[in-house]
Every structure is written in C-alpha cells, then in structure tokens.
Amino acid sequence: MALTQSITVEALPALLKYDNKVKLAGVDVDGMLRGKLVSKKKFLSIAKEGFGFCSVIFGWDMHDRTYDKELKISNKQNGYRDLIAVPDLNSFRRIPWEDNVPFFLVSFFDDDSKPLCADPRGLIRATVEKLEKQGCNAMAGAEIEFFQFKVPSSPSSTTDSPSPSVASYLNDNPPHTLPPLTEGMFGYSITRPTLNKSYYHEVYDSCAKFRCDLEGWHTESGPGVYEAALEFGQISEMADRASLFKYVVRSVASGYGITPCFMAKPRHGLPGNSGHTHVSVVDKDGKNLFFREEKDENAKYPDIAHLSDLGRHFLAGILDGLPDVMPMLAPTINSYKRLVENFWAPVTVSWGLEHRAASVRLIAPPTSKPGATRFEVRVPGADANPYFVMAAILALGWRGVEKKLEIPIPPLGKGQDVGSSADQGARLARSLREATDKFMSKDSIAREVFGDDFVDHFGGSRENEIRLWDEAVTDWELKRYIETV
C-alpha cells in the first residue's frame, strides 16, 4: 500500500528552495516529541545517512530525570552515547503556526544501523512489516479526548502567551482551583465552541494544513473537554498523526493561554480522557479482510456472523494478549484512575458487537458498511503513546491470525455490563505496578511479540515511574492524616 507521498533526497533542494532552516523531531517512549531546529545546509548533509542524536532521551523520564535504575540503551557506562537519527522524508510537513518552517520526523537506529528496540516509530514499522510479508497492511483511526484549562491572566507573565503557564499557576494554587476552558457537562454541543471559536477553528484548520486531518471535532461530556476523531488511514501514518495532533493542539492553544491536558483522569468524579483506537486489516488492493462475504448462519456467536475467519482470529489474539500489554495502553500511574467501574471505561477482557462498555467493540454489518468492519479497542487513554497502542493491537491481533486462535469468551450482550455475571473475562490490571509485573514476566505475550529488549526497556521505564509514585506524598494523604493520626 503506497504512502501518501514519496520524497527522495534528490528532490529536497527544490522542495526547500526558499527555506533556510528545518525542524526535526523523534518520539520517546512516553510519546513526547524530542527534536531541534537545524540549518538547511545541515539537513541536506544528513538527509540520507542521518545524524547523531543523544541517547539520553531514552535514558530519562518525561521530566528529563535520568532513570534511577539505568537501562541498556543509554546510561553512564556508555556515556549516554549517540544514536543515529534518520529523517523520514515522507513525513514532510510545514508548520503553519511557525511561518511554515519545514518539518520531518526521524527514526532512531543503533550505531550498527539496526532499528532501536525502543523507538516507537520503529516498533510500529516492524509490526506492519509482518503483515506486508503476507501481502497485507493495516488501517487505523484514533479518537482523542482531552480537558482544557485556562489560567487567569497575569501581568507578570514573561512569555508570549497571554496567560501564565499551568506549572507557574500550580506553584501558588491547589490543582482543584485550575479553571476549565468552559464549565459544565455538554457533549456534542454546537454552541459551546463559539465561546472560544477562534481557537476551536484554528485547531481544526491547523490540523488540515499540517497533514493531520480530522474527521470530527466536537465537545465531549465534561468541563472544557473536546474530542477529535482523526481521519482514518494506514496505521503507521495514523500513529504519526495521532502523535502530531497533540503537538498541533498544544502549539495553537498556547497562543490563547489555554493548556490542553491529555492525562487519563484529570478530575476526580468525572469521566477520563480516552484514546479509543480503531484497527482493520486490508489486502494489497485495500480490500477489508475482516468482512465475511456471506453471512455465517452457524456462527458460534451471532455477533460474528459477518466477521471473517481472519477477523475472528485477530479478535482472539487481542483478547488473549490484552492483559500482557497493559502498560502500552495505560502507561502512567494516573491511567488506572480512568479504568474503573461506572465511568464508561472497560475494566475486563471483554468484547461485543457495537458494545461501548467492552474492551473491544466489534463494528460490523448489519450496523456498518462491509468495508468499515473493524475493531475499536477502548482500553487506551489519551495519555498513551499512540505508536505503542497501535503496535500492541496489531501485534496481538496478528499473533492470533498466525496461531489461528479461537475467541476465548462469549460476547457481552446489549444491557450486559462489564463486571456483571455475564462477563467471563479477566479483570484488567488495577495499577501500573500490576500491569508492569505481568508485562515483564518471563512468559509474557509482550516478550513473544516484541522481544526482550523492548520489554525490558519500556518495562524498566514504567518501574521508574512506579518508584517515583511510591516516594510521592500526595495532597490526599496530607489532608487525610495531618490531624488524625
């Protein structure tokens, strides 16, 4: 399946004829973009072979604090060595909010030219290659919800933004006083966005200009909550666009003094931020391989009457491996505050046709077009790294195809909720610690599909997050115990 564009090294001088600089960025394990601006001369000299990039971005956490237990890729012993960063020329974009400066994503390689085990772009690429060897590819869609806060303006602000940063505000104010962009619960409102219409439309238009097109853009239930549905596309490109969407929103929002928040559960007592992910498999001509040409009147479950054998095996693979890859779908301490009962979030290994409470929602005829047959995995939060989410879903599903796995549990019927007597699926991890222990276990399916090097690195990064949480003293503890014990 062809990419949307094909750019060669030879075409770069003409493409960048009127430019004098280029912005480059790679992705770390937390899904954060790490990069820099380089001169056009420098970029043209490294466009083919790549350039040295400090490996410390795989040796520290999201706040640039090196891991307490150093990991294999980057550490004191290897001098926080350089990796090779190679620009992906087909990722070319121009940044509309930065005077159309050229932008390219990079992929990371070891010094022996092998793809870096923990590079998110490399992980999804390697997973897709397994399908390509069989003449297949994968399509994906992403839905991303997020809260938005607007800090009161301050005459002492020292940035270009009309409001101080949230970090500055929280230095002097408790988190619960952080004002949302808008008040109240008003999902799918067509009037609420008019309160911030310039911002609302600039996000949409900037996404289009930045090759990060949206299919839908609306308010979601919650104070200051929006949801974006990214335009369906090839899965590797979708992972890029899901990652870049956050970059667009944060960049545009800063000009309005707005802080978008993609953490899974920003506020107690309210629904969290989901990152629902849709996946299907297609052949080399783009034909959906999950659709069954003729209805199976003898299907084990009516829900799968229109689902192909390949689709059934794919579903079985997801269900079989889901508990083993939870840190890839729910990577933070806060992720598990979203995955609780009664908040529209799945908490068990479960599935069902058009079932929005289950972990995996099957979308298929008779309620969809045949070509739209797909799985919506509803476990990931907006805080997850989209490359890891999509790689995990695809790797598990394809493992099910290769092993011809059978669906292990019956579907949830309409009116049957997760955790009910009808739900035969195992309870998913309740904490990052529980999830990471299973992810890193010797017999983990994650090790089978991704290898020890990746699991040890990403699992080690999660263990670091857990250690920091163990050491933290929270506001809840202080309020609860300061006068009572």
Side-chain angles (χ1 to χ4, degrees):
M1 181 171 292
L3 295 170
T4 54
Q5 62 180 353
S6 181
I7 297 173
T8 63
V9 171
E10 291 73 23
L12 289 174
L15 185 68
L16 306 176
K17 182 177 180 180
Y18 300 105
D19 300 292
N20 65 357
K21 55 185 178 291
V22 175
K23 182 170 276 192
L24 303 171
V27 187
D28 68 15
V29 296
D30 290 301
M32 295 173 62
L33 290 168
R34 303 279 190 170
K36 57 184 172 181
L37 199 67
V38 301
S39 68
K40 180 172 73 172
K41 181 179 179 181
K42 172 69 173 180
F43 175 73
L44 293 176
S45 72
I46 55 87
K48 184 176 181 179
E49 302 294 338
F51 63 101
F53 201 116
C54 184
S55 66
V56 74
I57 65 168
F58 291 97
W60 63 22
D61 66 11
M62 61 185 71
H63 287 281
D64 296 2
R65 179 176 172 178
T66 54
Y67 299 136
D68 184 59
K69 178 184 176 182
E70 292 195 318
L71 303 175
K72 182 177 177 181
I73 293 175
S74 185
N75 51 59
K76 291 178 181 177
Q77 283 67 39
N78 65 25
Y80 300 104
R81 65 192 174 102
D82 267 4
L83 303 170
I84 304 300
V86 180
D88 178 354
L89 301 187
N90 292 325
S91 70
F92 169 69
R93 292 159 166 80
R94 289 186 179 275
I95 306 176
W97 58 90
E98 289 190 29
D99 301 320
N100 284 321
V101 64
F103 175 89
F104 295 86
L105 288 164
V106 303
S107 295
F108 294 105
F109 296 82
D110 270 318
D111 51 17
D112 58 1
S113 299
K114 291 176 59 178
L116 187 72
C117 67
D119 176 28
R121 299 189 80 238
L123 193 73
I124 185 68
R125 183 173 58 249
T127 307
V128 170
E129 286 173 355
K130 295 179 183 178
L131 277 71
E132 290 177 335
K133 290 177 181 177
Q134 303 301 320
C136 300
N137 210 309
M139 305 292 286
E143 302 169 2
I144 303 172
E145 299 170 352
F146 58 103
F147 278 64
Q148 293 156 108
F149 300 100
K150 190 164 186 177
V151 178
S153 59
S154 168
S156 61
S157 177
T158 59
T159 69
D160 293 337
S161 172
S163 298
S165 70
V166 165
S168 298
Y169 179 85
L170 293 179
N171 281 334
D172 303 312
N173 301 276
H176 71 269
T177 66
L178 195 60
L181 182 62
T182 54
E183 295 289 348
M185 312 285 279
F186 206 160
Y188 298 100
S189 171
I190 61 171
T191 57
R192 190 59 61 92
T194 62
L195 298 174
N196 298 279
K197 62 183 179 181
S198 295
Y199 164 65
Y200 182 74
H201 288 286
E202 187 175 342
V203 169
Y204 184 93
D205 294 340
S206 294
C207 283
K209 293 174 183 176
F210 198 53
R211 289 182 50 224
C212 192
D213 300 80
L214 305 183
E215 286 185 350
W217 178 226
H218 62 89
T219 64
E220 187 49 274
S221 186
V225 181
Y226 285 175
E227 177 177 356
L230 276 67
E231 190 174 282
F232 199 63
Q234 194 274 341
I235 194 166
S236 299
E237 294 184 349
M238 176 54 64
D240 281 344
R241 289 192 279 125
S243 177
L244 293 175
F245 171 73
K246 292 183 179 181
Y247 176 44
V248 174
V249 173
R250 288 183 172 123
S251 298
V252 173
S254 65
Y256 293 87
I258 295 169
T259 297
C261 173
F262 296 94
M263 65 186 291
K265 187 82 166 183
R267 287 280 165 90
H268 172 74
L270 292 172
N273 289 326
S274 72
H276 300 159
T277 302
H278 298 244
V279 173
S280 61
V281 173
V282 297
D283 65 15
K284 58 183 176 59
D285 298 316
K287 180 183 177 182
N288 189 309
L289 296 179
F290 285 169
F291 171 63
R292 180 175 289 274
E293 297 288 349
E294 295 185 11
K295 181 180 179 180
D296 182 357
E297 301 290 352
N298 299 309
K300 185 176 181 180
Y301 308 114
D303 296 50
I304 58 173
H306 292 280
L307 186 64
S308 69
D309 288 349
L310 184 146
R312 296 175 185 183
H313 296 318
F314 195 96
L315 172 59
I318 296 175
L319 297 173
D320 185 50
L322 186 58
D324 290 29
V325 300
M326 280 299 291
M328 299 177 74
L329 311 185
T332 72
I333 297 295
N334 181 255
S335 300
Y336 298 84
K337 304 295 177 69
R338 168 181 165 265
L339 297 176
V340 295
E341 289 78 359
N342 303 320
F343 274 103
W344 288 82
V347 297
T348 63
V349 177
S350 50
W351 71 282
L353 179 66
E354 288 295 352
H355 204 301
R356 280 185 161 84
S359 291
V360 183
R361 171 189 170 210
L362 169 60
I363 303 171
T367 57
S368 79
K369 299 183 298 182
T373 303
R374 63 194 187 274
F375 298 111
E376 178 192 27
V377 182
R378 298 176 60 83
V379 177
D383 57 342
N385 183 331
Y387 296 95
F388 289 170
V389 170
M390 294 181 196
I393 295 169
L394 191 58
L396 293 182
W398 199 248
R399 174 180 175 270
V401 172
E402 291 180 328
K403 291 180 175 290
K404 292 184 166 49
L405 298 181
E406 296 296 325
I407 298 171
I409 51 174
L412 290 177
K414 301 299 184 289
Q416 295 177 337
D417 205 355
V418 292
S420 68
S421 59
D423 185 358
Q424 297 183 25
R427 179 58 159 88
L428 295 173
R430 298 175 184 272
S431 68
L432 183 59
R433 185 189 307 278
E434 182 183 342
T436 301
D437 286 346
K438 192 163 185 62
F439 177 74
M440 297 188 73
S441 64
K442 290 183 178 180
D443 59 351
S444 167
I445 293 173
R447 290 190 182 278
E448 178 184 336
V449 295
F450 293 121
D452 290 337
D453 285 345
F454 170 75
V455 170
D456 289 342
H457 182 88
F458 186 59
S461 74
R462 296 312 91 189
E463 288 178 330
N464 185 77
E465 198 76 4
I466 293 164
R467 184 187 63 80
L468 293 174
W469 169 246
D470 285 345
E471 295 175 358
V473 178
T474 66
D475 290 347
W476 183 89
E477 293 169 280
L478 190 61
K479 289 177 182 178
R480 188 165 183 85
Y481 302 126
I482 189 170
E483 292 183 307
T484 58
V485 293

